[in-house]
Every structure is written in C-alpha cells, then in structure tokens.
Amino acid sequence: MANIQQLFGELERHIKREEHDKVLTISDKILAVDPKDKDALHCKAITLIRLERYSDALSILNRGLEGKFVFEKAYCLYRTNQLSDGAALIEATRKHMQSTGGQLPWDLRHLEAQMLYRMERYQECIELYAGMLKDTSKSDDSYNDILTNFNACKAAVLYSGKTLDERWKAEDVTKTTYELSFNSACARISQGDYTQALALLEEAKTLCRESLNDYDEEEIEQEMAIIIVQTAYVYQLLGRTEQARELYQSVLRIKALEVTVPAVAANNLVAIQKEDDLFDSTKKIKSANTKALGVKFLSSQKRAIAMNELLLQLYQNKFAACRDTAQQLLKSQPDNDALYLILAATMHRQKKTAKALEELKDFAAVRPDSVAIQFAIVQLELINGQDYLAAIESLTRFLKSLPEKEQHRPGYVALLVWLYDQAGQGEKGVDLLSEASAIWTKNNKGSGSSTALPLTLLRQTAAFKLRSHRYKDAAKDYEELVRADPSDPASIAGLIMAYSEFEPALAEKYGASLPEMKNAMALDVESLERIVPGLKREYVSTENAGAALGGGRRPLGLGVRPRRTGARRLRKRKPLLPKNYDASAPGTPDPERWLPKRDRAAARLARTRKTGVGSRKDMGKGPQGLNLEGGGIGGTGSARIAGREPIIPAAPVREIPVVEEVVDVAAIAKAKSSSSSSKKKKGKSKGKW
C-alpha cells in the first residue's frame, strides 16, 4: 500500500510539471499493481487526450470506466469523428439526468452543439446555442464564443439553401470580435449581399490586427488567412477574378496554415483557371482532395471539390476516368443533377451527341423534376441538327408535368415562345403568351398581390406581336400597357410603332405624349444630314454639289451629291527606278531587278520546265552523264566520251533535209569498256554505281 502511495505522489509531481511521458510510465506501474484503480485509469486517459492519442484514451475509458467520465469519452468520440456515437452518448446522459431532475452540464451541451454542427443538423444546433446564450451572462468570457458559433450555424443554414426560422433571424454583430464580424459576413454572402459582406470582412481584418498586436507578423498572417480567402471568394462571385486570384495566391504562400484554408484557396483557384494551365490545376486539386481533409470539410464543400475534379478530368479529355468517378459519386449523391450533365458532356465532347441525348433522356426518367436535365435535353436537340420541333416537344412534355402556375413561369414561357418563333410557328407563341398572361392575372387577383408579373408577360406578348407584323393585336396590348402606366415611354413608343402601320393619325396623336429629348438643341441637324452612316465616302452629301455639275445637267440642290456612275479609275503607282537610270535610253528597266537571280522568272522556268535543261522530270535518270552538257549516247555526245569532238549541226536552210546520224560503233564499244573499268576501280562496296 505504501508503494502505491509513493507512486501517486510521484505521479502528482509529474502532472504538475506536465511531464506526460513520465505520467504514463507511473500510471502503468500503478495499474500493474491494481488494474482496476479508477484514479490511475482516469489519469492515464487524460494524459493520452493531452497527447492527442484519442483512440488509446477511448480504449482506456471503455475498459474500466463505464458510466463515468462521459465528457472525456464523448470528446474522444468527437475527435475520432465518431459523431453519431458521441451525440447518442450525450443524449442518453441528458435523458438520465432529466429523469432525476437534473440538467445537462454546460460543457456537454457545448460539445453536443459542436457535434450537431459537424453532422450538419443545423436546426437542432441553433436551438441548443440559443438556450446556452440565455443561460450565460454577457460578462462571461464564454458568451462571445457561444455567440460566434451561433452566428456561424445560422450562416451555414443560409449557405445550404434552407430558410431560417423567424426566431433566429440573421443580424450583423459588428465591432466586437473579428470572429463575429467574419461570421456576419458569411451570412451576408449566403444572402447575396456582397457589398455589405466586403465591408464586414474589412472590419474583421482591422479587428484581427488590433487584437493580435502583440503577436508576430507571421502569426497575424496565419490568423487573417481565412478572412483573406473569404474576401477573395466574394471578389470571385462579383466577377473580379484577377483580384481574387492574387489573394488566393498570397494565401498559398503563407506557411504553417491550418490545412483547410489553403485547400479552399487551391480549389477556388482551379475554378478560376477553368481550362487554362491544366497541369497546375491538377496539382492544386490534389492538395484539396486528401483524406485528411475529408473529415474537416462539410458535405457542400466536399461536393464542390469533387465537381471541380470531374470538370478537370473532362477538360483533360480523360473521359473514361471522368465517367467512372461520376458514376461512383451518383451512388452517394443521387440528387446531384450536375453529375448527370457531366456524364452527358463526356459523350458530347467525343462527338457522340446522339448518345449523350439518349443518356440524358434516361436520366430524365430517373429525375423527372430536374429542370437542369430537361434544359440540357433541349440544348442538345438544338445542337444536334437544330431540331426545333423535337425541342418544343421535349419542353412541352416537361411543362405539362408541372403544376399550372409553374408551367407559365416567365423563363419557361420565353424559351418556348422563342422555339416557336424559330420553328416558324409564331401563332402558337402568341397564343402561349396570351394564355400565360391570363393565368397570372387570375392567380394574382385571387391572392390580392401586385399585377407586375402579368404586365411583364403582356409586354413580351405585345413585342412579339409587333415583330410578327400583327400590328392591330400589338396595338391593343400596348394600349393596355399605356393605361396601366401612362408615363412608360417604351409602351408609348411600341404603341406608336404599331399604329404607324395602319393608323398614322393615331400614331401622330400619341407622338406628342413622348417625353422631349434632353439637350436636343445641342444637335447639329445639318451635319447629321450630311453624314449618312453606312455609306461610302463618295455618297456623302455636300453643300452646293449641284453647282459643280456641267454638261447641261440640272442642279440637284443644296447638300445633294449625285451617285457616282461608271467604273472607278484606278491610280497607278510610279515605278521605282534605279539611281543611274537614263530615261532617254530605249527600253524599260527589268521589273525583277530587285530580286535575286534565283527568284526571277527565268530561273524559276528553268527549274520547273518539263523538258530541257533543269528539267526535274528527267533529273537523276538514265546513265551517268546524261544530264550533263554533251552527255549521252549517239548524237547527244557519245563521241565526246571516246575523244571525238561533238557534232555541230549546220545552219538551217529553207528546206530541212532528213539527215541520218553516223555512229562510230567502235568508239562506243571502247567508251563502254573504259567507263565500266573505271567504275570497278572506285571501290569494292556495293554502291549506287
């Protein structure tokens, strides 16, 4: 017994000194004497947690401390990503304490909220944090931590596309801590208020630098990296990609960052680069898609990274790998319409549009409510031979499957009207617009809401009728628009255009209702009449052009110029002559005098002619010396090989007699024997000659 007491005294001394390795050694010595000593087991488990050996600590807690040390066990489950087991353990503890009239301790409530957030059960998490805020004083140091997590949870709800309960309306919490300003900015980003989000992020930077003024610059940069990445993300959403790129790259240059921050920056850079620098994008997407990051990212973040990896494979024409990965992801994400579109895109990029269209139709049977898949089908039908009738049929079939109010949404109606117009079925487009306008008017009257949407459709109907030359019908629609808003210049202008085709008097009447042009007196009407856009220079009107006409022609009046008739006279450029050229000397200079001789016409003719000297046709053919001057057999100069002079033909006379050529057979035989012997002496190897 005394020995154990000494060991516990030594154990306490090592704990105070934070000598964790020695604490483990002494604990093992105590457990060797008494394996069920709960104090020694507890001390060893806590030491393992401090050493971040959570699995070993969990095994100790499960072995001999069942029903005790719930927080330590739940924390180990949380750190080993066993979130469901941890939440179930805390829930069981809550029920047990409520049955005895107790309440769950604050530390377990906080840990449970963290687990719920990681499990993306945001509504439960918000309610838990709201209860903790009520039970915590604002002067408490932990109040700001709870409030920070509370706002982060609300931002996550908005980012996931869900709506917040009215009780938890998102509000900006500013000028307190940089974490609160950052989370308020995230909520603004999810709501699409990017201007306010940038202002909150700038405030977070200022507060971060002020609160960390005692830290090194490197540590401040590490803490501000997440704010910089979020700022770059807002720039990216606003289309300011160059600024976003610079910020992302500046974060990637910071050392010793928490792994998720550079991973997000690398993924977003890949999205910016798209099909540019695919090799660099491949390296960045690998750094953002490691196993270590899988437990740290939310499902929406992991989905975005996976989609970027798929698109990168598509850009690199790795179609087989892209299809395999997409089909694997469909097993866990059957509601992700983008995966179906990527599968179709792999076939389309391989020039198999018909196969892609067939696959999309199969996907549409699985996902009949998917707008993205239906619109992709319409797009591919237009690409595949501009089949407007097939596109109309596909879109009409999809719209009939929707509720009546959804069938006549402005976007759907506009697309279908355009397809009717392209297919030459303008009447159906007009009927569709009228039907949609009537339905929206009926629905809005029943609900007591504004009639702005029917007026929008009516405006589309009137414009379409005007383009279709149905001027009387268009005039009726524009009259209704003018009655609804007499100050709308676009409706008045449309009404004037429609009336001008069949009732010019009414068009002039409504013309007085158009607003006057501002700064109209500053326009020079005469100069505008003289300058006619789209005409060539000879057609530009000039003053007193008729006075210059001769030959008895009638003057055309002020500012009128006759149209030029006849062929245009071409200007000839004077030739460029040599310095010492004598113009009095007969003959003209050679136009090719500035070119090298090899590029002149005579040299080109010699190289390209079919027969004669320089012929390419016969070059390299026949016996040796055939293409040389005087070479060949017989009359072509064979006697010269034998030592005789070449035969020079006589000058031609009026009648050219037929002359038989005399051939010296002996000389030919001698020449053959001498040439063959000389060839054999050149070498013993098997050459060309």
Side-chain angles (χ1 to χ4, degrees), residues 254-266:
I254 300 175
K255 298 180 180 179
L257 282 177
E258 200 273 329
V259 290
T260 56
V261 176
V264 171

Side-chain angles (χ1 to χ4, degrees), residues 199-455:
L200 290 168
L201 289 170
E202 289 299 323
E203 180 182 290
K205 289 181 186 177
T206 305
L207 292 173
C208 180
R209 188 167 289 279
E210 290 176 355
S211 60
L212 302 177
N213 55 358
D214 295 335
Y215 287 73
D216 297 335
E217 184 63 27
E218 183 177 352
E219 294 174 330
I220 295 175
E221 287 182 353
Q222 292 172 0
E223 194 68 21
M224 290 180 60
I226 188 172
I227 305 175
I228 296 173
V229 168
Q230 200 72 336
T231 304
Y233 176 65
V234 177
Y235 284 152
Q236 188 174 354
L237 293 176
L238 291 172
R240 297 157 63 177
T241 54
E242 288 304 319
Q243 291 174 273
R245 188 196 302 269
E246 292 177 3
L247 291 178
Y248 287 138
Q249 291 173 346
S250 68
V251 168
L252 292 177
R253 289 192 290 267
I254 300 175
K255 298 180 180 179
L257 282 177
E258 200 273 329
V259 290
T260 56
V261 176
V264 171
N267 173 75
N268 293 356
L269 264 177
V270 171
I272 288 177
Q273 292 177 171
K274 295 182 180 179
E275 297 188 55
D276 299 333
D277 202 353
L278 296 177
F279 180 74
D280 179 67
S281 296
T282 303
K283 293 192 298 182
K284 284 184 170 55
I285 204 67
K286 285 182 179 179
S287 66
N289 197 16
T290 59
K291 290 183 179 179
L293 292 167
V295 297
K296 292 182 177 292
F297 282 138
L298 301 176
S299 61
S300 58
Q301 294 171 315
K302 289 188 283 188
R303 177 178 292 193
I305 293 173
M307 292 303 301
N308 282 341
E309 187 176 15
L310 278 176
L311 290 173
L312 191 59
Q313 291 175 346
L314 185 65
Y315 294 153
Q316 292 174 325
N317 296 331
K318 297 179 180 179
F319 302 120
C322 183
R323 289 184 65 86
D324 292 343
T325 307
Q327 288 169 352
Q328 288 294 327
L329 288 174
L330 274 176
K331 296 178 182 179
S332 58
Q333 304 174 18
D335 59 336
N336 190 354
D337 294 339
L339 294 173
Y340 299 106
L341 300 183
I342 286 179
L343 286 172
T346 56
M347 304 306 298
H348 176 62
R349 286 177 73 99
Q350 296 179 73
K351 311 298 183 183
K352 300 177 181 178
T353 306
K355 179 65 176 177
L357 190 57
E358 181 181 348
E359 284 190 352
L360 277 177
K361 290 181 179 179
D362 294 338
F363 297 152
V366 179
R367 300 273 299 164
D369 298 334
S370 173
V371 178
I373 294 177
Q374 295 294 337
F375 274 47
I377 290 174
V378 172
Q379 184 178 7
L380 284 183
E381 285 173 337
L382 295 178
I383 292 174
N384 193 22
Q386 293 186 348
D387 194 351
Y388 295 105
L389 296 179
I392 291 171
E393 183 181 356
S394 299
L395 185 57
T396 304
R397 189 187 312 114
F398 169 65
L399 294 179
K400 287 181 179 178
S401 65
L402 299 177
E404 185 181 15
K405 188 173 182 179
E406 291 293 319
Q407 292 178 13
H408 296 89
R409 292 178 61 179
Y412 298 158
V413 172
L415 176 59
L416 194 51
V417 167
W418 180 83
L419 290 173
Y420 279 134
D421 191 19
Q422 297 297 316
Q425 300 178 1
E427 296 295 330
K428 291 185 178 180
V430 173
D431 295 340
L432 176 63
L433 283 170
S434 302
E435 179 186 353
S437 180
I439 289 175
W440 278 105
T441 303
K442 177 183 175 182
N443 292 336
N444 286 341
K445 285 181 179 179
S447 60
S449 59
S450 174
T451 59
L453 189 55
L455 289 180

Side-chain angles (χ1 to χ4, degrees), residues 77-262:
L77 291 171
Y78 170 71
R79 295 305 299 263
T80 54
N81 204 37
Q82 301 178 53
L83 303 176
S84 299
D85 294 339
L89 176 62
I90 296 176
E91 182 62 25
T93 306
R94 174 187 284 107
K95 291 180 179 179
H96 175 70
M97 297 191 73
Q98 287 177 351
S99 64
T100 59
Q103 188 179 6
L104 197 67
W106 185 91
D107 53 356
L108 277 176
R109 294 166 67 188
H110 200 174
L111 182 58
E112 183 184 19
Q114 293 280 61
M115 289 183 179
L116 293 174
Y117 181 83
R118 289 281 301 277
M119 296 167 67
E120 301 181 26
R121 292 161 58 179
Y122 299 124
Q123 297 294 345
E124 301 173 53
C125 183
I126 287 176
E127 292 181 2
L128 194 56
Y129 276 130
M132 293 173 67
L133 285 173
K134 291 179 181 179
D135 298 339
T136 307
S137 174
K138 292 186 178 181
S139 60
D140 196 334
D141 294 337
S142 61
Y143 183 84
N144 277 339
D145 294 337
I146 301 172
L147 184 60
T148 300
N149 293 346
F150 181 56
N151 285 334
C153 195
K154 290 193 289 186
V157 171
L158 294 172
Y159 183 74
S160 63
K162 300 177 182 178
T163 57
L164 273 174
D165 193 295
E166 289 296 330
R167 297 175 296 167
W168 325 123
K169 185 178 180 181
E171 297 178 355
D172 295 340
V173 183
T174 60
K175 298 180 181 180
T176 49
T177 64
Y178 68 91
E179 293 94 345
L180 285 169
S181 297
F182 176 81
N183 287 339
S184 297
C186 293
R188 289 290 182 176
I189 293 171
S190 61
Q191 293 172 329
D193 190 355
Y194 303 130
T195 304
Q196 182 64 18
L198 285 176
L200 290 168
L201 289 170
E202 289 299 323
E203 180 182 290
K205 289 181 186 177
T206 305
L207 292 173
C208 180
R209 188 167 289 279
E210 290 176 355
S211 60
L212 302 177
N213 55 358
D214 295 335
Y215 287 73
D216 297 335
E217 184 63 27
E218 183 177 352
E219 294 174 330
I220 295 175
E221 287 182 353
Q222 292 172 0
E223 194 68 21
M224 290 180 60
I226 188 172
I227 305 175
I228 296 173
V229 168
Q230 200 72 336
T231 304
Y233 176 65
V234 177
Y235 284 152
Q236 188 174 354
L237 293 176
L238 291 172
R240 297 157 63 177
T241 54
E242 288 304 319
Q243 291 174 273
R245 188 196 302 269
E246 292 177 3
L247 291 178
Y248 287 138
Q249 291 173 346
S250 68
V251 168
L252 292 177
R253 289 192 290 267
I254 300 175
K255 298 180 180 179
L257 282 177
E258 200 273 329
V259 290
T260 56
V261 176

